[in-house]
């Protein structure tokens, strides 16, 4: 097992090898590994020939990425890059797993494509034990995308701008709707600033704390004519709202389904009723539809909604409510009721001839973080999660934990000496977007020039005042993982 992370994390400590790459050099490392696999004759030639396209162009594209050049860019020793390339290519089965450290960059989508190239080179996709595995951070993140919570997709990842696909939804729903692709979250905030978006309904999200460059995000939320928040907790965003809908807690107070990272759809059942005035999410939305003039919406049950979904989403077609009840969970795609579900994806790539389109190689370029390191801002700040907390802490900060951490700024011992700061000392931390006060924590395993903290405690440490406002134009995801900062001693609080 190889752990590839700028930080020597707990996962890295039980790996066989740790590659501590520089923040924002994931594509560079992937291209270097790809070139080494190609030059060492370790590609899966039969798979590439029958199941992929664009190999020759890709081979030429990665040619400059020698081990030496890749090492220079990534900070990973050449020998370690070669060891990773040979080990991955020669393994009988191999998986590449990633989380937000890959996607929360201005090159997030390209980062994923670079990893996909490695799987295509070696045939580590479409068969048991091999694959590409994006690990989800919370329950049912996968299910949200499956149900169409994306600006360009309808349920089942069907394109909203496809007239034929949109037509079947219009017929089922008894309403016409535009095929125009919507705005992602980052674009919504841009539209607020341009006064093109004047009303927002936020469901189960806390953007007043979770957005990058959060000071700007809060200013945009204040510009709205109407802000509606539907949530379980009175978040900072809810406190800013004109209207708050108290909602039932999905995993404990609601009936429905959830989908795991492995695409397994499972039934969830209410253990207790929602308290006070809290209502089911579906009930709130249905009541709003009624008050907005709908005459045929009604109050659909979770089972009725699911049965409607599977008539419209081919990948869910075989998952009847009854089967979900009886079988305990089914993995999509499941096209009909005789289908057992799909334990892994892309098996079609091993059929001869391949069914459907072949998998394309992607020629993606290394682009360093937008927030550049300079003499004024010489330290790279990256953010992440710790084991006992979720996102902005809304779900986890109401109870104590013996392993709670993450409200301090972690720096290396070398940097602490250079800056003349000590463990526990409060310092001023600044980026190009703002400044906050933080407590120093020294991590002996952290690389020089790298700082780390979490975003779990915005009431204590409003870290997203510092994070980069750069974002990936393909996904809309902000570059949370790469900000440039400086750390200053505070001689007296009066000087701050």
């Amino acid at each position: 097992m190889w752990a590839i992370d700028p930080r020597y994390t707990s996962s890295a400590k039980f790996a066989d090898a740790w590659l501590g790459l520089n923040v924002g050099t994931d594509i560079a490392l992937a291209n270097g590994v790809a070139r080494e696999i190609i030059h060492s004759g370790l590609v899966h030639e039969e798979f590439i020939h029958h199941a992929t396209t664009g190999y020759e162009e890709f081979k030429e594209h990665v040619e400059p990425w020698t081990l030496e050049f890749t090492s220079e860019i990534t900070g990973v020793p050449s020998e370690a890059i070669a060891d990773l390339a040979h080990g991955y290519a020669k393994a009988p089965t191999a998986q590449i797993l990633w989380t937000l450290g890959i996607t929360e960059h201005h090159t997030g989508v390209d980062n994923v494509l670079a990893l996909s190239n490695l799987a295509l080179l070696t045939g580590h996709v479409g068969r048991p034990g091999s694959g590409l595995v994006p690990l989800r951070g919370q329950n049912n993140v996968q299910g949200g995308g499956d149900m169409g919570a994306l600006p360009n997709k309808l349920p089942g990842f069907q394109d909203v701008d496809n007239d034929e696909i949109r037509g079947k939804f219009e017929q089922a729903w008894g309403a016409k709707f535009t095929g125009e692709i919507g705005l992602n979250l980052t674009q919504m905030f841009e539209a607020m600033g341009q006064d093109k978006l004047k009303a927002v309904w936020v469901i189960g999200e806390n953007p007043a704390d979770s957005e990058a460059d959060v000071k700007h995000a809060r200013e945009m939320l204040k510009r709205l004519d109407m802000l509606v928040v539907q949530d379980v907790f009175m978040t900072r965003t809810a406190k800013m709202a004109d209207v708050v809908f108290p909602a039932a807690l999905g995993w404990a107070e609601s009936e429905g389904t959830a989908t795991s990272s492995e695409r397994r759809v499972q039934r969830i059942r209410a253990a207790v009723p929602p308290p006070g005035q809290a209502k089911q999410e579906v009930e709130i939305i249905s009541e709003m539809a009624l008050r907005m003039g709908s005459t045929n919406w009604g109050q659909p049950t979770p089972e009725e909604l699911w049965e409607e979904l599977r008539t419209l989403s081919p990948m869910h077609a075989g998952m009847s409510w009854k089967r979900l009840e009886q079988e305990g969970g089914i993995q999509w795609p499941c096209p009909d009721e005789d289908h057992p579900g799909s334990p892994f994806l892309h098996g079609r790539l091993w059929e001869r001839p391949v069914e459907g389109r072949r998998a394309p190689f992607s020629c993606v370029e290394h682009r360093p973080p937008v927030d550049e390191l300079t003499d004024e801002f010489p330290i790279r700040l990256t953010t992440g999660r710790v084991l006992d907390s979720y996102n902005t802490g809304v779900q986890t900060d109401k109870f104590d934990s013996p392993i709670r951490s993450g409200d301090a700024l972690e720096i290396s011992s070398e940097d602490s000496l250079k800056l003349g700061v000590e463990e526990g000392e409060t310092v001023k931390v600044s980026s190009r977007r703002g400044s906050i006060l933080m407590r120093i924590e020294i991590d002996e395993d952290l690389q020089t020039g790298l700082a780390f903290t979490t975003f779990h405690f915005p009431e204590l440490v409003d870290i997203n005042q510092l994070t980069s406002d750069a974002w990936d134009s393909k996904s809309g995801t902000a570059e949370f993982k790469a900000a440039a900062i400086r750390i200053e001693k505070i001689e007296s609080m009066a000087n701050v």
Side-chain angles (χ1 to χ4, degrees):
M1 170 181 157
W2 286 265
I4 302 170
D5 197 306
R7 299 169 55 234
Y8 190 45
T9 62
S10 55
S11 298
K13 289 174 183 177
F14 66 76
D16 297 300
W18 168 60
L19 277 63
L21 80 172
N22 296 328
V23 173
T25 62
D26 305 278
I27 291 172
L29 180 61
N31 283 350
V33 169
R35 183 190 184 277
E36 177 63 16
I37 290 172
I38 292 168
H39 273 253
S40 299
L42 298 175
V43 300
H44 197 303
E45 294 183 357
E46 191 275 341
F47 181 82
I48 290 172
H49 177 72
H50 289 282
T52 73
T53 61
Y55 171 65
E56 292 300 328
E57 293 84 354
F58 175 73
K59 181 179 177 181
E60 182 179 347
H61 173 73
V62 299
E63 182 57 29
W65 289 94
T66 63
L67 292 175
E68 295 72 25
F69 180 52
T70 304
S71 178
E72 179 184 337
I73 298 297
T74 64
V76 178
S78 299
E79 297 79 9
I81 299 169
D83 183 56
L84 169 62
H86 287 248
Y88 177 73
K90 292 177 181 178
T93 59
Q95 299 180 5
I96 301 176
L97 300 88
W98 69 89
T99 55
L100 298 179
I102 283 291
T103 53
E104 286 186 343
H105 289 274
H106 77 110
T107 56
V109 171
D110 286 352
N111 287 352
V112 174
L113 293 175
L115 299 180
S116 300
N117 289 333
L118 300 181
L120 297 181
L121 273 180
T122 55
H124 284 316
V125 65
R127 54 194 179 92
S130 286
L132 297 152
V133 187
L135 297 174
R136 305 307 189 187
Q138 297 191 44
N139 179 50
N140 210 29
V141 170
Q142 183 67 50
D146 295 353
M147 296 302 109
L150 296 165
N152 61 335
K153 298 294 181 181
L154 290 161
F157 298 104
Q158 298 175 87
D159 294 329
V160 71
D161 57 357
N162 182 298
D163 293 343
E164 182 179 351
I165 290 172
R166 195 170 65 257
K168 71 176 180 180
F169 281 89
E170 291 175 340
Q171 183 175 3
W173 293 345
K176 293 283 187 180
F177 59 96
T178 176
E180 183 179 353
I181 293 174
L183 304 178
N184 60 44
L185 184 58
T186 303
Q187 291 168 332
M188 289 182 194
F189 278 94
E190 289 186 344
M192 292 178 208
Q194 299 163 358
D195 291 329
K196 295 179 180 178
L197 185 59
K198 302 298 293 179
V200 171
W201 185 352
V202 179
I203 301 177
E205 192 80 15
N206 186 23
D209 279 332
S210 63
E211 279 298 282
D213 192 9
V214 76
K215 188 184 297 184
H216 174 262
R218 291 169 190 159
E219 291 171 357
M220 295 304 98
L221 291 170
K222 290 175 183 176
R223 290 174 66 103
L224 295 169
D225 291 344
M226 172 68 74
L227 175 61
V228 178
V229 172
Q230 180 173 321
D231 212 315
V232 177
F233 299 102
M234 185 60 76
T235 63
R236 190 195 296 262
T237 309
K239 291 175 183 177
M240 298 175 66
D242 300 288
V243 177
V244 177
F245 293 141
L249 184 63
W251 61 268
E253 299 165 358
S254 300
E255 297 287 326
T257 63
T259 307
S260 70
S261 293
E262 61 170 356
R263 300 163 287 100
R264 188 182 303 277
V265 181
Q266 296 173 282
R267 279 277 284 113
I268 54 173
R269 300 166 180 83
V272 293
Q277 295 179 302
K279 295 180 180 294
Q280 299 294 337
E281 308 269 14
V282 172
E283 184 181 358
I284 294 170
I285 296 169
S286 298
E287 289 286 346
M288 276 293 291
L290 178 65
R291 284 160 174 74
M292 293 173 72
S294 173
T295 58
N296 61 354
W297 191 289
Q299 286 284 356
T301 66
E303 181 176 358
E304 290 170 339
L305 290 168
W306 181 262
E307 290 299 316
E308 176 188 282
L309 166 80
R310 74 187 190 96
T311 67
L312 296 168
S313 172
M315 71 185 201
H316 294 100
M319 300 184 187
S320 68
W321 191 263
K322 182 178 179 181
R323 282 190 71 188
L324 293 177
E325 289 274 17
Q326 292 177 343
E327 299 180 29
I330 304 170
Q331 291 169 278
W332 61 253
C334 180
D336 59 65
E337 293 195 35
D338 294 324
H339 195 283
S342 303
F344 55 90
L345 293 177
H346 311 303
R348 66 178 185 82
L349 294 176
W350 292 95
E351 297 175 2
R352 299 294 179 262
V354 168
E355 179 183 345
R357 75 184 186 100
R358 297 181 181 187
F361 280 93
S362 302
C363 296
V364 291
E365 299 284 354
H366 162 66
R367 290 177 286 147
V370 172
D371 209 15
E372 295 182 11
L373 297 178
T374 62
D375 291 340
E376 185 180 6
F377 299 102
I379 293 177
R380 177 63 72 201
L381 171 67
T382 192
T383 61
R385 298 174 178 175
V386 291
L387 185 60
D388 80 330
S389 297
Y390 271 142
N391 210 21
T392 60
V394 171
Q395 300 175 71
T396 50
D397 66 359
K398 303 298 188 292
F399 61 86
D400 292 328
S401 166
I403 60 170
R404 178 144 301 162
S405 64
D407 61 335
L409 181 70
E410 299 176 17
I411 63 174
S412 70
S413 55
E414 292 87 348
D415 284 326
S416 69
L417 292 172
K418 187 185 304 181
L419 294 164
V421 297
E422 299 178 350
E423 178 94 11
E425 183 176 344
T426 297
V427 297
K428 182 180 179 181
V429 185
S430 304
S431 75
R432 293 177 172 91
R433 290 153 295 280
S435 300
I436 60 174
L437 299 180
M438 295 190 73
R439 178 175 57 83
I440 286 292
E441 191 169 287
I442 297 172
D443 182 348
E444 299 294 341
D445 294 323
L446 209 57
Q447 299 187 72
T448 304
L450 181 65
F452 172 80
T453 193
T454 76
F455 35 73
H456 300 318
F457 310 100
E459 300 296 337
L460 297 175
V461 180
D462 206 6
I463 194 64
N464 278 332
Q465 288 195 40
L466 306 183
T467 47
S468 174
D469 54 359
W471 54 284
D472 185 347
S473 61
K474 296 178 181 178
S475 68
T477 302
E479 192 162 50
F480 289 98
K481 300 303 182 189
I485 62 169
R486 69 171 176 267
I487 300 169
E488 299 171 276
K489 284 182 67 70
I490 300 173
E491 302 301 335
S492 70
M493 294 304 293
N495 294 333
V496 180

